[in-house]
Amino acid sequence: MLALRRASAFSVLILTAFLPLPQFAQDPAMVHYIYQRFQVLEQGLQKCTQATREYIQDFREFSKNISVMLGRCQTYTSEYKSAVHNLALRVERAQREIDYLEYLREAEVCTESEDKMLAEKQVQGAEEEKRIRTLLNASCDNMLMGIKSLKIVKKTMDTVGSWMKDAVRDSPKVYLLIGSRNNTVWEFASIRAFMEDSTKPAPRKLILTHSWQGTGQVIYKGFLFFHSQGTPNEIIKYNLQKRTVEDRMLLLGGAGRALAYPHSPSTYIDLAVDELGLWAIHSGPSIHGHLVLTKIEPDTLGVEHSWDTPCRSQDAEASFLLCGVLYVVYSSGGLSPHRITCVYDPLGAVIEENLPTVFFPRRSRSHSMIHYNPRDKQLYAWNDGNQIIYKLQTKRKQPLQ
């Protein structure tokens, strides 16, 4: 700061020395004036030189002090690095000891936790099995042993469709749904009226507000349940009397991604009814997957439970449920036999190995639908335009252990 002040004073002297001179340079007074000015300039230069020397001296002392301080810093840095390295070694050693103690503690905890989880899973499994048994508990204890007879009730010009009676209500009405995509339901007063077109009264034509897809429709307690056309997995509960949509649901678990039955090339979700209520059957999400069975609460359309069955979708043409057991019908196409080669019982009371292979009477084409009616204990089927009733041979299941 002292050097800066001196330099500023010298600058003032310089500016003063070079002020404009009088025009009369030959005047002795003027010469004396110039001489004095040069003396002032010389004095200013001497002061500037002195200030510069002092500044250089101060800077040398400052540099020396900085060098000493940097040396000390390097010493401190080296000591600090050494201390930090030693501390890191001690921390690492302590961490290894802590990890070892933690390993010993976790080994004990894991053993206890595994035992606890195993016990919880066993309890949950027992509770789930109890819930399923309660869900599927019914007085029905029959299982299928064979097909007694076949009766062709009617023949139409349509190769694909479905027909049925209400699975629960004691009503003689018969319902005809033609095609795999439509919104027209024909209601016949009785099976006789259905068989004889000339019989009065004429069938009632019901136009739905939504179209169905596939041939997996069922009528349960006066409501028509069907897979809604144009949606992958929406099921509609339709009130036939009011002709309005009562409720709807989305069936999860990969439903609608693939055909349920390759031999029924329009059915992605097949609905079914038996003594235990309403069910849905569809193919799993994988290619050539297995069938998924879902129990549906018909009043709320809530899913009660789902099962991944061992029954493959490949070569299947239809399926139905009887007393809570799924029976899947397979065919290789053409004149090959239609037979049940996969049976799935969620309760395990019916074992496929203990059942005979059930063959259907030979038909020229695959069935577009086969549905069981728990009220009259018969199968309603559609095959190449023929509406068929199959009478069944059953026997009692083995009691659960």
Side-chain angles (χ1 to χ4, degrees):
M1 295 300 294
L2 179 59
L4 292 175
R5 287 196 296 271
R6 290 173 179 174
S8 299
F10 175 68
S11 300
V12 173
L13 292 174
I14 292 297
L15 293 173
T16 306
F18 286 96
L19 290 173
L21 296 178
Q23 296 180 356
F24 305 98
Q26 297 179 359
D27 188 355
M30 181 60 64
V31 173
H32 179 72
Y33 174 76
I34 293 173
Y35 175 74
Q36 288 179 341
R37 288 296 183 96
F38 273 102
Q39 282 185 334
V40 172
L41 178 61
E42 185 178 5
Q43 290 174 0
L45 289 173
Q46 290 176 355
K47 290 180 180 180
C48 181
T49 302
Q50 182 65 28
T52 303
R53 289 175 180 173
E54 292 177 356
Y55 173 75
I56 292 173
Q57 183 64 29
D58 292 343
F59 183 76
R60 286 177 178 172
E61 291 180 359
F62 175 75
S63 299
K64 183 178 179 181
N65 293 334
I66 291 297
S67 299
V68 173
M69 294 176 67
L70 287 174
R72 291 176 180 174
C73 286
Q74 290 178 355
T75 302
Y76 293 153
T77 301
S78 178
E79 294 176 355
Y80 174 73
K81 287 182 177 179
S82 178
V84 170
H85 179 69
N86 292 334
L87 179 61
L89 293 177
R90 295 177 64 184
V91 170
E92 184 179 357
R93 187 181 305 112
Q95 187 63 48
R96 287 199 300 266
E97 294 177 355
I98 291 173
D99 291 344
Y100 177 70
L101 294 175
E102 186 69 19
Y103 167 76
L104 295 178
R105 188 185 69 83
E106 287 183 355
E108 296 177 358
V109 172
C110 285
T111 302
E112 296 176 358
S113 178
E114 288 177 358
D115 293 341
K116 183 178 179 181
M117 290 177 61
L118 181 60
E120 289 178 352
K121 286 184 178 180
Q122 290 177 345
V123 171
Q124 291 175 357
E127 291 177 351
E128 182 68 11
E129 183 179 354
K130 181 179 179 181
R131 191 183 74 84
I132 292 175
R133 290 197 178 196
T134 302
L135 175 66
L136 303 182
N137 184 28
S139 58
C140 175
D141 58 358
N142 291 328
M143 60 181 182
L144 180 65
M145 296 302 294
I147 304 296
K148 273 193 200 178
S149 63
L150 169 152
K151 179 180 180 181
I152 298 178
V153 178
K154 186 182 181 69
K155 181 174 178 61
T156 64
M157 300 299 294
D158 303 280
T159 58
V160 176
S162 62
W163 73 293
M164 66 207 72
K165 297 171 71 174
D166 194 311
V168 177
R169 289 185 174 178
D170 187 14
S171 170
K173 294 180 179 179
V174 175
Y175 298 88
L176 178 70
L177 291 78
I178 299 174
S180 59
R181 289 174 176 84
N182 206 336
N183 69 335
T184 303
V185 178
W186 295 95
E187 181 186 87
F188 294 83
S190 64
I191 192 72
R192 180 181 178 85
F194 176 69
M195 295 172 62
E196 301 175 5
D197 294 334
S198 60
T199 304
K200 302 296 181 180
R204 188 165 67 125
K205 184 178 181 180
L206 307 176
I207 305 296
L208 309 182
T209 57
H210 292 68
S211 297
W212 70 75
Q213 176 172 326
T215 57
Q217 307 85 13
V218 296
I219 293 181
Y220 186 85
K221 296 182 179 179
F223 295 96
L224 174 66
F225 294 82
F226 61 90
H227 177 198
S228 179
Q229 181 183 350
T231 68
N233 58 344
E234 183 180 59
I235 296 175
I236 288 181
K237 177 182 179 181
Y238 195 87
N239 191 319
L240 291 175
Q241 294 300 320
K242 298 179 181 179
R243 302 191 187 185
T244 57
V245 174
E246 188 80 9
D247 203 352
R248 62 184 73 203
M249 69 172 292
L250 295 179
L251 186 63
L252 304 180
R257 298 181 186 177
L259 290 169
Y261 318 117
H263 288 294
S264 183
S266 58
T267 302
Y268 289 82
I269 299 175
D270 189 16
L271 299 172
V273 176
D274 71 349
E275 291 82 358
L276 304 183
L278 181 64
W279 304 78
I281 305 107
H282 65 85
S283 179
S286 62
I287 298 176
H288 302 306
H290 291 71
L291 294 176
V292 177
L293 177 64
T294 301
K295 183 75 171 61
I296 299 175
E297 210 292 316
D299 295 329
T300 63
L301 289 188
V303 173
E304 295 182 298
H305 202 280
S306 287
W307 296 266
D308 293 325
T309 75
C311 301
R312 54 186 172 80
S313 173
Q314 187 179 6
D315 292 332
E317 64 176 88
S319 68
F320 58 91
L321 283 109
L322 189 157
C323 290
V325 179
L326 177 68
Y327 298 87
V328 185
V329 183
Y330 293 91
S331 172
S332 300
L335 294 175
S336 62
H338 312 276
R339 62 193 184 279
I340 296 173
T341 56
C342 187
V343 177
Y344 177 71
D345 181 7
L347 293 179
V350 176
I351 301 175
E352 184 177 340
E353 289 75 9
N354 297 336
L355 294 177
T357 300
V358 176
F359 287 89
F360 284 79
R362 190 178 297 274
R363 306 295 301 170
S364 60
R365 293 179 180 269
S366 299
H367 295 85
S368 67
M369 57 82 65
I370 300 177
H371 283 167
Y372 173 71
N373 188 301
R375 191 164 55 86
D376 55 22
K377 313 298 183 185
Q378 299 179 133
L379 294 180
Y380 289 72
W382 190 301
N383 184 284
D384 193 23
N386 295 293
Q387 289 74 57
I388 301 171
I389 288 179
Y390 292 109
K391 292 187 178 295
L392 306 178
Q393 177 184 355
T394 61
K395 77 171 187 178
R396 297 192 62 178
K397 299 179 185 177
Q398 296 293 328
L400 289 172
Q401 299 297 326

